[in-house]
Amino acid sequence: MKPLPMLRFALRGLWRELRSGDALVLFGALAVAVASMTAVGFFTSRVSAGVAREATEVLAADLRLESANPIPAAELAPARDDRLRRAEEISFPTALFHGDRSQLVAVNAVTAGYPLRGHVRVAGVPYGPATAIATIPGRGNVWLDSRTATVLGLRPGASVRVGAIRLRFTRVLAFRPDQSVGLVSLAPALLMNAADLPATGLVQPGSRVTYAALFAGPPAAVAAFRAHLRAHPDAAVRVREAADDSRELGSAIDRASRFLNLASLSAVLLAAVGVAMSARRWASRRIDGVALMKCLGATQRFVLEVALTELAAIGALALLAGTVAGAIAESGIAWLLRSLVERDLPAASAGPIAIAFATELAMLLGFALPPLLPLRRTAPLRVLRRDVAPPRLRHGVAPGLALAALFAILWLMVRDAALVVDLAAGIGVVGVVLGAAGFALVRLTRRFRGGVGVAWRYGLANVSRRGTASVLQVVAFGLGLMILLLLAVVRGDLMREWRASVGARAPNEFLINIRPQDAPALRRALAALGAPDAPMVPVIRARITAIDARPIASLRFASARGRAFATREQNLTWSADPMPDNRVIAGRWWGPADYGRHWVSISTEYRDALHLRLGDSISFDVAGEPLTVRVASIRRVRWDSFRPNFFLVFPPRLLDGAAGTLITSVYLGPRARPGLAALARRFPTVTVIDVEAILAQVRSIIDRASLAVQYVSLFTLAAGVVVLLAAVQATRDERRHESAILRTLGASRFTVLSGVAAEFAALGLLSGLLGAAGAAATGWWVAHHLFALRYAPDPKLWWIGILGGTALVGVSGTLAARRVVGTPPAQSLRAEA
Amino acid sequence: MHPGPNGARLALEASGLTKTVDSPSGPLTILADVDLRVRAGETVAIVGPSGAGKSTLLALLAGLDTPTRGRVAIAGTDLSSLDEDGRAALRRRQIGFVFQSFQLLPSLTALENVMLPLELAGDPDARAIATAALTEVGLGARLEHYPRQLSGGEQQRVAIARAFVTRPPLLFADEPTGNLDGATGRRIAQLLFERNRAAGSTLVLVTHDRELAARCDRIVALDAGRVAG
């Protein structure tokens, strides 16, 4: 047969194939897998694109040059490219005066066009609602942040002195894109017009000034300029690119998207089971038709081509439908995570469709094609003699290969081989454990058959008779329910346990930038507010320059944290004793005899990120002074104690001469907290950080993220429903026959349907039991091994699992099988004859 | 067509046809040394009690199964010289079938069922030819009906239309009235013979219905796997 008629022949039958049920379940299984992959893929691609775009906003530009001196014009020559927009920003700290009051501020003097990326947001009054603004302060005007305005008691229109000139405070500066988020840059900020700068007289040779040249434009122009800068490096000029700052944010998003990808993979794996079951049933239903077609002269090739064309068409339809469903579901994820990703996200790329297609292809080739291939060997003799054996529809090694392909695709997405290997092993273990438990439970149902009514006896008999299919369904739903229960119930329990372990009076306020001379007065002021024992911990900043005499720039670190430790300034401290929530796990803490020695104690995070060992030497630049020390001990730190803690701690006397500030953390009750405003006014350099507000934000992010993972887990349940439908389809003829016999013997339709409902309710109950047990066991393991918490599962976990499973599986299974048992017995028996 | 020994063209020739299968109690001979020659245009009934080997003989003659020994030639082509796809191609060109259980594809309409052999042969006018064929058997108004929407007699009419639609020189019918009541069976038999006569085909009919067999030119009786008379 020529290809076109063959195609027409294959496609003509497709719609009816889909309506027949078997092909529809196959389509559904594929579509669920595609939808789950694309939903997560679209979301992560949009977030990644958003992160890249926001990263340019963090610089207020696409490319930023920074230097302690005015940047030579020659350096900027290629930037005369018309396509590049340009602005300048000059920053330095100074004191701002209003009457007899003063405040240390970070001045940012900008030229027109600033910011080139992102928006400055301003408000009319301190802490008032902010709106974006497209201009910079006019000449003679200044914008100040809420804190400075409050400390100085300023109202809009007031006059302030900056160096030699007076400027008018016109707006409250709520946000500028390049205010970085680290603790140091929380210094009060001032935005002014660069044209006013010379008159202030503040910028003199030797002043601590940062000159920045900002550039933005089409990617090609930016790339050309970047290439020029790389070709002509200048040690005095630092080139900052979006990627530098986006890396950290990107890695956080990476971690979030990994969980989403893992959740979607569980749906894909279950859907693969559905594909295998439905494809097998679909193939077996084709046998008689193939025998007839061969009898009428169809060749093996034709038979195969028709089956492959239909399979390909089902795959294409599932890809289309799944992608549409995925795109709709993606907007749900974006909505749930809207507080995590606050801005409007850019459009998704088409990449996830390609990944979903690869996944679908692996499922089709590994799980659907194998039972179709033997069809071509069907003996045409079957049209005359039904006793001729049909071809054996075996899967062979293909599913194993397809599983390997699915894990390879997962690796492509998460790029973490260890995670994928752990996951594969984890799924294997969970599969075996759930399978064994499911098998035991299914076997157990036999014992209960004696003591129940006829409908239940019939239902339970079916559960144990269809052993393999029952175990598969119990495991499929058990897994889906386990993930949902873990996230919905166990996570909440663990959160409560953790909060209880931290204690009600854990510090809730951090005070930083405390000048040493203010420490005694501040301590007294805090004692008056009800926090008598505020520890004053010294802090200085240092940058790592070398490890074991190898310059840090020559070393490569795999983790984002390693790169951050290597390139950024770190806060460090010195102390005679280890902090109360630190435990020395290697090496030796110093005694009085060791004070002043060139030693350092590092935290486990610092050790892991920079691959350090005891005895390694680390060189630092501490405020311009070189310092080389040896790793004397390694500490495990409980960061969630909310006390000041450090990656790096030095012995006393080593850094005593270095100028630094102090930091403290205290617990202030609700009544004492209003006193903080007076404290801030009295100690203007001190920055107060409300840990409770940050914690609430973190909690809300975790809540949202886990809600998104739960949402994606619904695909796992959908895949479970597909497995159930496939199982119902596979037993359709059998059920029709049984129902006909039962009804011929006098059973009412209600009795037969009750039996079916009993069968699926029993399966649901077993799944719920399995899911709750799995969630409780995982919760215990996580609590015990990862958080060192005690955990006893809440009884509601069991109730929700069992009732939820029974309702979900009972209702969907009964609905699916309803039509089969509803067929009039005469019709069923005649059809079989 | 291949000329027979007496000069007439032979549509079908089987010699020494034997089929033995393995059974729990050792090899079982279903068909032993059957010789059969059917002239072109002849109608032959193969009769015999259940288990006599009628369906096995039909399967071997149509190339649906391979003999343990002996040979079958259709229009002079030795089936043993063909592989499975070769035998399928020969059936496509030379043979039509009517079965006891109709063997219509449930997912195809009456029209599509009749179009099937034409499409397999790559006929571009399949739809028009099949429509005409169904009209000829009195089902012009039932083209879009599915098999489950048709009575047994109507389903067999569709099967007859399908059997003749490619104008095959040779037609095999396996108990064509076996699943029908008496009156319907007689009407279907009438239709089958009419269509056969009109097409000028050779008909090999397997039946245990003596009345139906009597309508054929010749009767071959099988008993316990051997030609009895």
Side-chain angles (χ1 to χ4, degrees):
Chain A
M1 198 171 185
K2 289 168 192 154
L4 197 62
M6 189 286 297
L7 197 63
R8 210 169 45 214
F9 180 80
L11 294 182
R12 196 190 306 135
L14 186 64
W15 174 240
R16 281 185 291 274
E17 290 282 352
L18 285 173
R19 282 182 51 190
S20 80
D22 302 313
L24 189 66
V25 176
L26 177 59
F27 163 83
L30 291 168
V32 165
V34 170
S36 122
M37 294 291 283
T38 48
V40 171
F42 283 148
F43 177 71
T44 49
S45 90
R46 288 181 69 193
V47 169
S48 306
V51 166
R53 192 184 63 181
E54 283 196 17
T56 63
E57 293 184 13
V58 169
L59 297 182
D62 291 338
L63 198 71
R64 186 178 172 112
L65 305 188
E66 286 179 1
S67 172
N69 300 299
I71 298 167
E75 192 117 0
L76 307 175
R80 292 212 188 94
D81 186 332
D82 287 343
R83 294 172 300 171
L84 283 178
R85 290 183 292 128
R86 182 180 168 179
E88 283 176 41
E89 183 174 7
I90 299 150
S91 314
F92 54 90
T94 190
L96 179 73
F97 294 92
H98 175 64
D100 57 352
R101 281 183 276 191
S102 69
Q103 163 77 44
L104 189 73
V105 292
V107 171
N108 298 280
V110 295
T111 61
Y114 169 90
L116 300 179
R117 296 287 183 208
H119 293 282
V120 168
R121 294 166 71 82
V122 293
V125 291
Y127 303 108
T131 53
I133 189 164
T135 58
I136 63 168
R139 289 202 62 172
N141 292 340
V142 69
W143 299 349
L144 297 168
D145 66 8
S146 295
R147 190 150 50 103
T148 309
T150 310
V151 167
L152 294 180
L154 295 173
R155 287 167 176 274
S159 166
V160 292
R161 189 159 63 78
V162 182
I165 61 168
R166 301 195 77 82
L167 297 171
R168 209 159 68 90
F169 165 48
T170 52
R171 289 179 198 274
V172 175
L173 177 64
F175 173 81
R176 58 193 175 86
D178 51 347
Q179 71 185 35
S180 70
V181 287
L183 293 184
V184 264
S185 50
L186 290 177
L190 174 158
L191 197 69
M192 62 183 281
N193 195 311
D196 289 330
L197 198 57
T200 63
L202 290 171
V203 179
Q204 305 292 340
S207 306
R208 268 185 65 197
V209 178
T210 302
Y211 294 86
L214 282 57
F215 300 92
V222 175
F225 186 39
R226 185 188 300 126
H228 166 80
L229 292 170
R230 281 192 186 150
H232 305 89
D234 178 347
V237 176
R238 182 178 173 209
V239 181
R240 292 181 65 188
E241 295 177 50
D244 300 339
D245 293 74
S246 70
R247 214 171 269 145
E248 203 165 319
L249 184 55
S251 78
I253 298 288
D254 247 17
R255 273 195 292 276
S257 64
R258 271 178 200 184
F259 282 108
L260 293 177
N261 274 321
L262 296 184
S264 87
L265 183 80
S266 67
V268 169
L269 291 177
L270 274 188
V273 174
V275 167
M277 287 171 75
S278 57
R280 196 186 162 84
R281 159 84 181 171
W282 188 44
S284 73
R285 296 248 305 171
R286 295 176 78 96
I287 289 174
D288 289 343
V290 167
L292 178 70
M293 286 205 293
K294 288 182 79 171
C295 177
L296 296 179
T299 58
Q300 295 196 23
R301 182 178 163 171
F302 175 81
V303 167
L304 197 60
E305 279 176 355
V306 169
L308 290 183
T309 305
E310 290 194 12
L311 188 63
I314 291 173
L317 286 177
L319 185 66
L320 187 71
T323 304
V324 170
I328 294 169
E330 186 275 336
S331 54
I333 303 177
W335 184 79
L336 285 172
L337 292 180
R338 64 193 182 282
S339 59
L340 189 61
V341 188
E342 278 173 354
R343 317 237 169 126
D344 288 339
L345 290 175
S349 72
I353 302 179
I355 291 173
F357 175 65
T359 306
E360 194 196 22
L361 201 61
M363 291 169 80
L364 283 172
L365 295 180
F367 298 98
L369 186 61
L372 285 173
L373 288 177
L375 272 183
R376 67 186 193 284
R377 291 197 297 272
T378 305
L381 185 57
R382 267 183 70 84
V383 294
L384 290 175
R385 289 186 33 205
R386 300 282 303 161
D387 57 331
V388 173
R392 303 185 76 168
L393 308 179
R394 284 194 169 166
H395 276 89
V397 295
L401 296 176
L403 274 182
L406 290 180
F407 280 106
I409 291 167
L410 180 72
W411 176 80
L412 268 178
M413 290 187 295
V414 301
R415 298 273 176 183
D416 185 341
L419 181 73
V420 173
V421 169
D422 285 356
L423 183 75
I427 284 179
V429 169
V430 169
V432 167
V433 170
L434 289 187
F439 180 75
L441 287 174
V442 166
R443 283 290 294 268
L444 208 61
T445 56
R446 284 185 194 173
R447 292 173 178 253
F448 293 101
R449 267 157 61 179
V452 292
V454 60
W456 273 93
R457 188 160 59 242
Y458 169 58
L460 292 181
N462 277 339
V463 170
S464 62
R465 184 161 57 85
R466 301 190 176 115
T468 314
S470 297
V471 172
L472 258 179
Q473 290 169 80
V474 168
V475 170
F477 278 101
L479 187 66
L481 289 169
M482 177 180 136
I483 296 173
L484 281 179
L485 289 171
L486 203 55
L487 292 166
V489 182
V490 175
R491 184 182 57 86
D493 292 348
L494 285 179
M495 209 73 158
R496 269 189 297 282
E497 287 288 339
W498 173 72
R499 282 168 69 83
S501 81
V502 169
R505 292 180 65 85
N508 57 0
E509 302 287 347
F510 262 75
L511 284 76
I512 63 171
N513 290 339
I514 304 165
R515 291 185 301 178
Q517 61 268 36
D518 290 337
L522 182 66
R523 194 193 286 267
R524 280 194 299 278
L526 287 171
L529 288 175
D533 302 318
M536 292 289 169
V537 182
V539 185
I540 56 169
R541 295 178 66 76
R543 189 186 297 277
I544 186 168
T545 56
I547 294 176
D548 281 336
R550 284 178 295 165
I552 197 77
S554 68
L555 301 173
R556 293 281 167 271
F557 301 100
S559 66
R561 190 171 220 174
R563 288 191 293 270
F565 281 143
T567 53
R568 298 197 184 161
E569 284 202 315
Q570 287 300 312
N571 289 315
L572 44 86
T573 192
W574 59 92
S575 175
D577 304 306
M579 317 296 177
D581 36 32
N582 286 207
R583 193 157 57 85
V584 174
I585 59 165
R588 186 170 73 81
W589 190 260
W590 37 78
D594 304 314
Y595 292 173
R597 295 179 83 153
H598 282 58
W599 282 5
V600 66
S601 172
I602 62 173
S603 78
T604 48
E605 293 83 5
Y606 204 77
R607 172 196 67 183
D608 296 341
L610 296 180
H611 317 303
L612 293 167
R613 283 174 303 188
L614 281 180
D616 282 352
S617 85
I618 316 177
S619 302
F620 292 96
D621 173 343
V622 186
E625 295 294 319
L627 173 71
T628 297
V629 292
R630 288 203 171 275
V631 177
S633 64
I634 296 169
R635 290 163 296 124
R636 190 178 298 286
V637 180
R638 265 204 77 177
W639 297 97
D640 62 5
S641 68
F642 297 107
R643 296 191 190 91
N645 265 307
F646 294 82
F647 294 118
L648 299 163
V649 180
F650 290 83
R653 293 195 208 140
L654 183 60
L655 295 167
D656 284 1
T661 57
L662 301 170
I663 179 173
T664 188
S665 70
V666 291
Y667 172 80
L668 291 181
R671 285 192 191 162
R673 297 182 76 188
L676 278 175
L679 198 104
R681 198 183 290 270
R682 192 174 153 202
F683 302 98
T685 62
V686 172
T687 304
V688 180
I689 298 167
D690 185 345
V691 179
E692 235 164 57
I694 293 174
L695 261 191
Q697 202 180 352
V698 168
R699 227 175 2 249
S700 128
I701 289 173
I702 293 175
D703 284 349
R704 292 276 166 194
S706 74
L707 208 57
V709 177
Q710 282 175 59
Y711 179 84
V712 173
S713 302
L714 290 181
F715 284 112
T716 310
L717 276 195
V721 170
V722 170
V723 170
L724 177 125
L725 291 178
V728 170
Q729 283 294 122
T731 55
R732 216 173 132 142
D733 300 336
E734 209 175 293
R735 283 179 196 282
R736 190 176 277 137
H737 178 72
E738 284 168 1
S739 152
I741 290 174
L742 283 172
R743 292 186 65 189
T744 309
L745 294 176
S748 68
R749 188 167 180 273
F750 177 77
T751 308
V752 177
L753 202 58
S754 302
V756 171
E759 176 185 343
F760 287 106
L763 282 177
L765 188 140
L766 298 183
S767 315
L769 203 61
L770 209 57
T778 313
W780 177 85
W781 189 88
V782 168
H784 196 76
H785 290 276
L786 300 185
F787 297 114
L789 294 171
R790 270 176 314 186
Y791 171 69
D794 194 318
K796 73 174 180 291
L797 176 75
W798 301 97
W799 288 115
I800 294 174
I802 291 170
L803 291 179
T806 308
L808 176 74
V809 184
V811 170
S812 52
T814 309
L815 283 179
R818 189 188 47 161
R819 222 177 54 177
V820 176
V821 301
T823 315
Q827 197 179 321
S828 303
L829 294 173
R830 197 169 54 230
E832 282 165 34
Chain B
M1 286 234 168
H2 183 67
N6 57 2
R9 288 177 309 160
L10 282 182
L12 177 67
E13 184 181 12
S15 52
L17 219 46
T18 301
K19 183 72 178 177
T20 308
V21 295
D22 290 328
S23 75
S25 52
L28 178 69
T29 301
I30 302 172
L31 217 56
D33 281 326
V34 173
D35 295 319
L36 181 68
R37 286 184 172 74
V38 182
R39 294 188 310 278
E42 193 181 12
T43 54
V44 176
I46 299 169
V47 296
S50 290
K54 303 188 295 289
S55 293
T56 303
L57 177 59
L58 185 77
L60 293 176
L61 293 177
L64 297 175
D65 198 4
T66 49
T68 313
R69 223 173 36 242
R71 56 181 285 276
V72 177
I74 290 175
T77 305
D78 188 346
L79 294 190
S80 61
S81 66
L82 302 173
D83 62 5
E84 195 190 320
D85 277 351
R87 293 197 296 274
L90 181 103
R91 284 195 296 273
R92 197 161 64 220
R93 290 191 304 270
Q94 304 276 345
I95 300 175
F97 286 96
V98 177
F99 302 100
Q100 177 179 6
S101 53
F102 322 136
Q103 295 287 1
L104 302 179
L105 286 179
S107 62
L108 301 185
T109 61
L111 179 63
E112 288 165 347
N113 265 292
V114 179
M115 284 165 66
L116 185 59
L118 292 166
E119 288 183 308
L120 288 171
D123 194 317
D125 300 321
R127 182 169 290 270
I129 299 171
T131 305
L134 276 168
T135 308
E136 282 171 14
V137 297
L139 291 176
R142 302 271 177 133
L143 301 180
E144 299 303 326
H145 284 56
Y146 287 97
R148 66 174 185 279
Q149 297 167 317
L150 300 170
S151 70
E154 287 169 330
Q155 290 190 47
Q156 196 61 304
R157 281 168 187 269
V158 176
I160 289 171
R162 181 180 66 187
F164 286 104
V165 77
T166 53
R167 305 203 166 276
L170 180 57
L171 189 85
F172 288 103
D174 178 32
E175 304 276 13
T177 58
N179 270 6
L180 304 170
D181 62 67
T184 311
R186 278 190 290 280
R187 279 199 296 277
I188 287 297
Q190 182 66 28
L191 179 68
L192 178 65
F193 279 96
E194 271 174 26
R195 299 301 315 143
N196 188 59
R197 204 163 30 248
S201 308
T202 307
L203 175 65
V204 176
L205 179 79
V206 166
T207 184
H208 58 259
D209 179 348
R210 289 278 164 186
E211 194 185 327
L212 183 62
R215 299 184 64 155
C216 293
D217 300 337
R218 182 154 60 105
I219 295 176
V220 175
L222 275 188
D223 191 20
R226 291 177 182 276
V227 178

